[in-house]
Amino acid sequence: MARTRTAHNRNDNRAGPFFFATLILWLVSVWFEILFNKRRELLWIIAGTFLFQIANWVIRFFVSRDPLFVNTSVSLLHSIITSVSVVFILVHQCLKTGSDGLFEHSQLVGGTWELAYPTLCFSCGYFAYDQLDMLLYRLYSGLIPSILMHHLILLICFTLALYRNATVNYLILTLICELHSIFLHVRKVRRMAGVRDAKSKIVKLEWFLNWVTFIFARSMSHILITIKLIGDASKFERGVQLPLALFGMAGMNLLNVGLGIDLFNAFKRERNPHKSSHNHGE
């Protein structure tokens, strides 16, 4: 047992330096674009990183010093801000220009809806903050931690889109999934706060909203975006845009399958806590 745990810790230690290095390279790249290519609009990335780090310090000082609780609370804040922003962008655009042509290829790839660019920058800044926080407090496990890999892929996709000012609207649509993330984080915070009565109305409502948003805001939206990408494949110019977009969406859809399985297992455990404890003991 001790030997297994030592090997596990050694594997975790190998993952940390790699992801630290990629995060530093990403940060150097962003500052290079801001300072040498005069891309002042990318300062929204830095602003996002600082805002969520400040939120981290405030929660740590006034609420709890538990790294997991602090990290989850800040993630909840990001999900709320991003969800409200995405819904506002879509509603505002519909009211301004109408829904006709809103999801045309030219709009999704070459256009940028009002406030879409700073919103994507802001979210990119959050993923950089979250990556650093998880690395500093070792909130990950495994030889190739899925959460760190997920953040790295998102940082690459987001920053490339922001540098080229292309597919920004597509990425805004993918962020609709943050509506579901709200209830994932609420559940986590609720359990850490000791509220675990599956029969209470609040918990039942939370699970209902968790499943509804998982199906419609996460799974269905990402499947529809993937179908749209495949249907418009011939309209993309030659280059990395289409392969990168398809690769990113394939990764998101696979993660959604795994998340759905984990969610179902968590739902069963909460509904039958005594049975789960008995099976775990066996």
Side-chain angles (χ1 to χ4, degrees):
M1 177 69 74
R3 187 178 301 170
T4 303
R5 189 179 295 113
T6 302
H8 177 74
N9 290 337
R10 188 161 54 244
N11 287 337
D12 287 356
N13 289 336
R14 290 175 185 173
F18 169 78
F19 286 102
F20 259 121
T22 55
L23 188 59
I24 291 169
L25 288 173
W26 171 84
L27 185 60
V28 169
S29 169
V30 171
W31 276 114
F32 181 87
E33 287 291 320
I34 292 171
L35 297 175
F36 294 98
N37 291 337
K38 310 299 182 184
R39 299 289 301 276
R40 298 290 186 263
E41 66 273 20
L42 293 173
L43 283 170
W44 282 107
I45 296 177
I46 308 301
T49 303
F50 273 105
L51 173 77
F52 292 111
Q53 184 57 62
I54 290 169
N56 179 300
W57 290 331
V58 170
I59 294 168
R60 190 177 303 278
F61 185 79
F62 290 105
V63 183
S64 171
R65 299 185 67 84
D66 177 16
L68 184 59
F69 180 88
V70 174
N71 182 271
T72 307
S73 299
V74 177
S75 296
L76 174 58
L77 176 65
H78 165 256
S79 294
I80 293 170
I81 292 173
T82 304
S83 298
V84 171
S85 300
V86 171
V87 170
F88 176 81
I89 288 167
L90 292 174
V91 171
H92 177 71
Q93 197 65 29
C94 283
L95 293 174
K96 183 180 178 182
T97 62
S99 59
D100 291 341
L102 186 65
F103 301 123
E104 287 295 320
H105 175 79
S106 58
Q107 269 290 306
L108 294 176
V109 173
T112 305
W113 296 320
E114 195 172 341
L115 297 179
Y117 197 94
T119 297
L120 195 64
C121 284
F122 214 65
S123 203
C124 192
Y126 159 77
F127 288 118
Y129 145 79
D130 201 41
Q131 189 84 325
L132 180 61
D133 193 59
M134 289 193 167
L135 287 166
L136 289 175
Y137 292 98
R138 298 290 301 276
L139 302 176
Y140 62 90
S141 61
L143 180 60
I144 306 177
S146 59
I147 186 64
L148 297 183
M149 185 57 70
H150 171 254
H151 282 17
L152 177 59
I153 292 171
L154 286 177
L155 282 172
I156 291 170
C157 291
F158 281 26
T159 47
L160 284 176
L162 292 167
Y163 289 172
R164 302 182 63 176
N165 205 0
T167 67
V168 170
N169 291 345
Y170 254 124
L171 289 171
I172 286 294
L173 290 180
T174 66
L175 288 174
I176 291 173
C177 70
E178 290 299 327
L179 281 165
H180 173 241
S181 296
I182 289 174
F183 300 103
L184 280 181
H185 300 319
V186 164
R187 175 181 176 271
K188 205 169 181 180
V189 170
R190 183 256 299 170
R191 287 180 61 80
M192 283 189 282
V195 181
R196 303 192 176 200
D197 184 7
K199 295 180 181 180
S200 71
K201 290 182 179 180
I202 293 294
V203 173
K204 286 180 179 179
L205 177 62
E206 176 207 295
W207 269 113
F208 172 76
L209 294 172
N210 213 320
W211 281 116
V212 168
T213 53
F214 172 76
I215 293 168
F216 294 103
R218 186 177 293 275
S219 300
M220 289 298 295
S221 67
H222 286 172
I223 290 170
L224 289 173
I225 291 169
T226 306
I227 292 171
K228 176 68 175 172
L229 282 170
I230 294 170
D232 288 346
S234 61
K235 299 178 183 178
F236 279 87
E237 296 178 3
R238 289 185 179 181
V240 299
Q241 277 186 5
L242 180 60
L244 191 63
L246 288 173
F247 171 75
M249 291 312 303
M252 285 188 179
N253 285 313
L254 282 174
L255 285 170
N256 289 345
V257 172
L259 180 59
I261 293 170
D262 290 343
L263 205 59
F264 180 70
N265 289 334
F267 180 69
K268 285 201 303 182
R269 284 195 302 271
E270 281 209 6
R271 290 292 298 273
N272 302 290
H274 300 299
K275 185 177 179 181
S276 298
S277 299
H278 179 69
N279 290 339
H280 182 71
E282 290 179 343

